[in-house]
């Protein structure tokens, strides 16, 4: 199955449309990075929780679910390869970053993409 | 420099005077309505989202008190204090400005308490200094710079412009009417931005604190 069911993604995004508004409240203060063990150990930008959410769930909202399979597979790398969903990412605005990462994983699973489908596996 | 007939615009300064009286008068109603509409929209989305599973994660490094205090103090005490002072100054400076009180009295007949101008100047100065410190934090700290886009830098300037021009107007620095034009325009842009951009983040902060500090049921979190 190589096609992307954009209708299903749109439906899932509509169900959680408040997440888009929550993401828009991010003032890029960087406090999520200070509480992320993955970022503290690697120092990579791609490990900053807010960055990961913007590039995955945020991108899905921006593009209204119209993404290619390659884009989804790249997201899999961030959603599984750079996050343990340990729920330690602190946000003073109350943005549920790890909840959004979980939601991103659910969207990818709905497209038959899971932990081992991402390019990081190769 | 004033124009004898208000409808006769002889010079650019006459035009600025006309625009200034519009910005300080009728335009304020439009701006406040837009600001309120944006903030209400945010609040409605949060309330509606709660019924759709919106959660505010509870981060408890040191128990119940830790979650609340972390929201205010953060992990770096210096920048946390700067942030708190910045936000207090942003609210206190316009509230204590005598010019704003006069406008309020002229428009709605409400005469607010008269503060010594030293308060306004101090809060304005504090807003500018702490704002610059937070800007430097954004520029020099790797993880903050990595997250920042041009919008984040622009918003700091949008916030600071009314304060800088307010200070200039009070000190009679530059052409008064031109400075006031930028002051009014900057203030209107700021108020609308609070409603419709991330400058309205205090709505989310308040909601997060309301939920996570135990004011309402946290069973669903």
């Amino acid at each position: 199955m190589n096609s992307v069911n954009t209708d299903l993604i749109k439906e899932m995004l509509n169900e959680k449309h408040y997440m888009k508004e929550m993401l828009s409240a991010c003032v890029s203060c960087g406090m999520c990075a200070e509480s992320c063990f993955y970022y503290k150990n690697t120092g990579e930008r791609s490990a900053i929780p807010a960055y990961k959410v913007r590039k995955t769930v945020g991108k899905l909202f921006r593009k209204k679910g119209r993404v290619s399979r390659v884009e989804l597979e790249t997201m899999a790398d961030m959603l599984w390869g750079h996050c343990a969903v340990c729920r330690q990412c602190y946000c003073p605005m109350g943005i549920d970053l790890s909840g959004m990462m979980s939601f991103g994983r659910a969207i990818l699973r709905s497209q038959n993409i899971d932990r081992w489908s991402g390019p990081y596996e190769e | 420099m004033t124009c004898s007939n208000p409808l006769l615009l002889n010079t650019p300064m006459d035009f600025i005077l006309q625009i200034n009286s519009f910005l300080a008068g009728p335009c304020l109603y439009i701006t406040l309505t837009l600001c309120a509409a944006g903030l209400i929209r945010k609040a409605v989305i949060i309330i509606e989202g709660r019924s759709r599973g919106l959660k505010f994660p509870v981060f408890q490094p040191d128990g119940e008190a830790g979650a609340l205090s972390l929201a205010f103090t953060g992990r770096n005490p210096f920048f946390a204090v700067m942030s708190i002072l910045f936000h207090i100054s942003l609210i206190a400076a316009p509230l204590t400005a005598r010019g704003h009180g006069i406008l309020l009295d002229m428009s709605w007949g409400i005469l607010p308490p008269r503060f010594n101008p030293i308060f306004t100047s101090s809060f304005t100065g504090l807003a500018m200094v702490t704002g610059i410190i937070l800007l430097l934090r954004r520029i020099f700290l790797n993880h903050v710079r990595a997250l920042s886009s041009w919008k984040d830098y622009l918003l700091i300037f949008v916030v600071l412009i009314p304060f800088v021009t307010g200070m200039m107007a009070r000190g009679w620095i530059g052409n008064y009417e031109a400075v006031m034009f930028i002051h009014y325009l900057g203030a209107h842009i700021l108020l609308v931005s609070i409603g419709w951009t991330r400058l309205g983040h205090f709505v989310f902060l308040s909601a997060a604190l309301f939920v996570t500090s135990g004011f309402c049921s946290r069973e669903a979190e």
Side-chain angles (χ1 to χ4, degrees), chain A residues 14-19 22, chain B residues 42-56 211 216-217 220-221:
Chain A
N14 285 339
E15 181 63 27
K16 304 273 184 187
H17 76 277
Y18 60 83
M19 283 187 178
M22 292 300 291
Chain B
K42 287 181 198 297
V44 168
I45 286 172
I46 292 172
I47 294 165
E48 198 256 337
R50 290 284 292 168
S51 64
R52 286 171 172 260
L54 190 161
K55 291 177 183 173
F56 291 105
V211 173
C216 68
S217 170
E221 306 305 321

Side-chain angles (χ1 to χ4, degrees), chain B residues 6 32 35 69 97 154 212:
Chain B
L32 288 177
C35 176
S69 64
L154 178 68
T212 58

Side-chain angles (χ1 to χ4, degrees), chain A residues 54 76 78 94 109 111:
Chain A
R54 284 179 195 175
M78 280 200 176
R109 283 200 191 99
Q111 305 301 311

